[in-house]
Amino acid sequence: TTTTTTTTTTTTTTTSDINYVYYTSETQLPSIMNLMEQDLSEPYSIYTYRYFINNWPKLCWLALDGTETIGAVVCKLDAHKPGTQMSTYRGYIAMLAVNNNYRGRGIGSDLVVKAISTMKEHGCTEVILETEITNKAALKLYQKLGFLRDKRLSRYYLNGVDAFRLKLELD
């Protein structure tokens, strides 16, 4: 069962018992940071989170079970090839995490789809991201959503692991 409610301050989509909302308040930041720190191999400072979230709050979607943040995606949208006749917008998925206890329910996919849908509403024509070549679950999720491997980035992460840059061309 899916229900969508729109108000002037937030958009909420409910699937079963999970609510999806975009970022609205600094009070949500600690739970986002905690979730990402448990899942991602890269350490990010509070300033990195604030850069993305404060500049593109509607591209930061949260999955909530009651009041607990159990998933989040953090993205941005920038001009791509500015100043040319081909000027477009490119989306970037910076971070995605889902609590281990909630994996396998499609929450990560739902979060990414919501972020991409918001990007498309703002004229985005492609979305890129990087993920560790060893992160099979992430590679499977993004492949299922239509992302293609664009290039391999040698020793991209601080832990020395290579990354794949993935790209999704939008209609």
Side-chain angles (χ1 to χ4, degrees), residues 11-52:
T11 297
T12 303
T13 304
T14 304
T15 305
S16 301
D17 295 331
I18 307 301
N19 293 319
Y20 295 90
V21 299
Y22 57 78
Y23 180 85
T24 58
S25 165
E26 182 82 8
T27 61
Q28 297 166 311
L29 185 56
S31 63
I32 296 168
M33 290 177 62
N34 182 51
L35 186 63
M36 297 298 176
E37 287 168 4
Q38 291 177 27
D39 256 14
L40 303 182
S41 63
E42 293 286 286
Y44 294 107
S45 76
I46 193 168
Y47 304 107
T48 302
Y49 290 97
R50 284 184 175 147
Y51 165 75
F52 285 101

Side-chain angles (χ1 to χ4, degrees), residues 84-125:
T84 69
Q85 290 180 342
M86 300 289 291
S87 183
T88 59
Y89 287 96
R90 174 189 277 173
Y92 179 71
I93 299 175
M95 302 171 217
L96 171 66
V98 175
N99 179 301
N100 284 335
N101 297 327
Y102 290 84
R103 293 200 180 156
R105 299 184 193 183
I107 295 168
S109 294
D110 288 347
L111 288 164
V112 172
V113 166
K114 289 178 185 320
I116 292 171
S117 177
T118 305
M119 290 178 197
K120 285 174 76 171
E121 290 171 11
H122 291 90
C124 182
T125 58

Side-chain angles (χ1 to χ4, degrees), residues 89-163:
Y89 287 96
R90 174 189 277 173
Y92 179 71
I93 299 175
M95 302 171 217
L96 171 66
V98 175
N99 179 301
N100 284 335
N101 297 327
Y102 290 84
R103 293 200 180 156
R105 299 184 193 183
I107 295 168
S109 294
D110 288 347
L111 288 164
V112 172
V113 166
K114 289 178 185 320
I116 292 171
S117 177
T118 305
M119 290 178 197
K120 285 174 76 171
E121 290 171 11
H122 291 90
C124 182
T125 58
E126 70 179 24
V127 180
I128 63 167
L129 62 98
E130 295 86 25
T131 191
E132 291 185 9
I133 63 166
T134 56
N135 191 340
K136 303 300 182 203
L139 291 168
K140 183 178 176 181
L141 179 150
Y142 291 118
Q143 181 179 354
K144 184 177 81 173
L145 294 175
F147 283 82
L148 301 174
R149 292 179 186 176
D150 186 43
K151 65 172 73 170
R152 185 175 180 145
L153 306 168
S154 180
R155 300 183 55 79
Y156 182 79
Y157 290 100
L158 293 176
N159 62 7
V161 174
D162 290 0

Side-chain angles (χ1 to χ4, degrees), residues 49-59 75-77:
Y49 290 97
R50 284 184 175 147
Y51 165 75
F52 285 101
I53 293 170
N54 290 333
N55 285 307
W56 300 277
K58 295 208 165 84
L59 293 179
C75 309
K76 72 174 187 168
L77 185 65

